[in-house]
């Protein structure tokens, strides 16, 4: 025989836990991050399928890795830094939202949505280089705005000089990358961005 409970006792077994403002916002941010990650992985899968007929290039692949890394950092740091806040101003919400949107555009630009035989990744990267780095500058700008919304004291005491150095180098590098097409510079900058963000994030946010 199955266990039967009186109908009157069933509501007592159900607890409705109200969601905080942060939890509602984090759900939206998770969706944006998920869309960006999905876009990158879908494009990467298509590239692998057509690998024999593609002219491969290091730069778009490295920047795809950088974008994926930043998407993960964005979600990790947003959860770690904002979860203690119970009240959000609209500017807080808008900054977080557009921060994620700019990252999604980076993810959608760096690899093609449709992969056709004979695709030249080097030529394609050059064609989207300026829009991509404009979006990356927008991402860093949103990061700076997001950090200062928590207060100058937070930036000084919690983030420290490492944060200033990393973002300063990335901003300067992105501005240069808009105008400098030299392959050696582009490769060094792409690898440097990966190493800087990985090192800084692991040193600052090992757990949340």
């Amino acid at each position: 025989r199955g266990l039967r409970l009186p109908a009157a006792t069933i509501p007592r077994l159900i607890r409705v836990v109200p969601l905080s403002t942060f939890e509602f916002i984090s759900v939206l941010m998770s969706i944006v991050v998920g869309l960006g990650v999905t876009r990158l992985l879908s494009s990467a899968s298509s590239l692998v399928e057509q690998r024999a007929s593609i002219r491969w290039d290091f730069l778009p692949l490295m920047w795809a890795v950088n974008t994926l890394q930043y998407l993960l950092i964005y979600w990790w740091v947003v959860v770690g830094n904002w979860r203690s806040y119970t009240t959000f101003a609209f500017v807080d919400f808008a900054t977080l939202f557009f921060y994620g949107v700019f990252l999604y555009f980076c993810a959608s630009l760096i690899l093609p949505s449709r992969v056709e035989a004979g695709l030249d990744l080097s030529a394609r990267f050059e064609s989207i280089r300026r829009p991509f780095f404009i979006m990356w500058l927008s991402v860093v700008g949103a990061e700076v705005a997001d950090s200062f919304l928590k207060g100058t004291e937070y930036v000084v005491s919690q983030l420290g000089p490492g944060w200033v150095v990393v973002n300063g180098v990335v901003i300067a590098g992105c501005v240069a990358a808009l105008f400098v097409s030299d392959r050696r510079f582009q490769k060094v900058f792409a690898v440097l961005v990966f190493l800087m963000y990985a090192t800084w994030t692991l040193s600052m946010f090992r757990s949340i």
Side-chain angles (χ1 to χ4, degrees):
R1 294 182 180 180
L3 177 64
R4 294 184 179 181
L5 296 175
T9 65
I10 293 177
R12 299 175 187 175
L13 300 177
I14 302 175
R15 286 189 175 183
V16 178
V17 180
L19 294 177
S20 66
T21 303
F22 168 75
E23 288 171 319
F24 275 110
I25 292 176
S26 66
V27 168
L28 178 60
M29 298 304 100
S30 297
I31 292 172
V32 174
V33 170
L35 288 172
V37 172
T38 300
R39 178 69 169 76
L40 285 171
L41 296 182
S42 176
S43 296
S45 176
S46 297
L47 288 172
V48 172
E49 287 180 3
Q50 299 286 343
R51 62 189 180 278
S53 60
I54 291 174
R55 295 184 64 182
W56 292 91
D57 183 51
F58 172 80
L59 281 174
L61 299 179
M62 190 69 235
W63 277 108
V65 171
N66 285 341
T67 304
L68 178 61
Q69 179 192 50
Y70 208 128
L71 281 163
L72 299 179
I73 292 172
Y74 166 74
W75 187 89
W76 187 261
V77 174
V78 164
V79 171
N81 287 350
W82 283 106
R83 61 180 174 175
S84 61
Y85 287 73
T86 57
T87 302
F88 283 76
F90 181 76
V91 67
D92 300 331
F93 166 74
T95 301
L96 285 172
F97 176 72
F98 283 106
Y99 191 170
V101 167
F102 295 144
L103 271 171
Y104 174 79
F105 273 107
C106 287
S108 64
L109 279 171
I110 194 59
L111 294 178
S113 57
R114 294 173 56 187
V115 179
E116 299 177 353
L119 173 67
D120 186 340
L121 285 177
S122 177
R124 185 185 179 279
F125 177 76
E126 186 59 30
S127 70
I128 58 95
R129 175 168 56 88
R130 289 186 176 179
F132 176 75
F133 284 114
I134 288 172
M135 279 297 110
W136 198 272
L137 281 169
S138 300
V139 168
V140 180
E143 155 63 18
V144 172
D146 171 71
S147 298
F148 275 101
L149 282 173
K150 302 181 185 75
T152 305
E153 178 62 27
Y154 167 80
V155 174
V156 173
S157 62
Q158 298 295 318
L159 299 179
W163 178 83
V164 176
V165 171
V166 169
N167 285 290
V169 170
V170 173
I171 290 172
C174 285
V175 171
L178 289 171
F179 305 101
V180 179
S181 59
D182 181 76
R183 298 281 299 178
R184 289 171 295 181
F185 165 77
Q186 292 283 351
K187 289 179 180 180
V188 169
F189 179 52
V191 174
L192 181 62
V193 167
F194 175 82
L195 294 176
M196 285 194 305
Y197 278 125
T199 302
W200 183 78
T201 304
L202 290 175
S203 67
M204 292 292 297
F205 303 101
R206 291 187 180 183
S207 61
I208 56 173

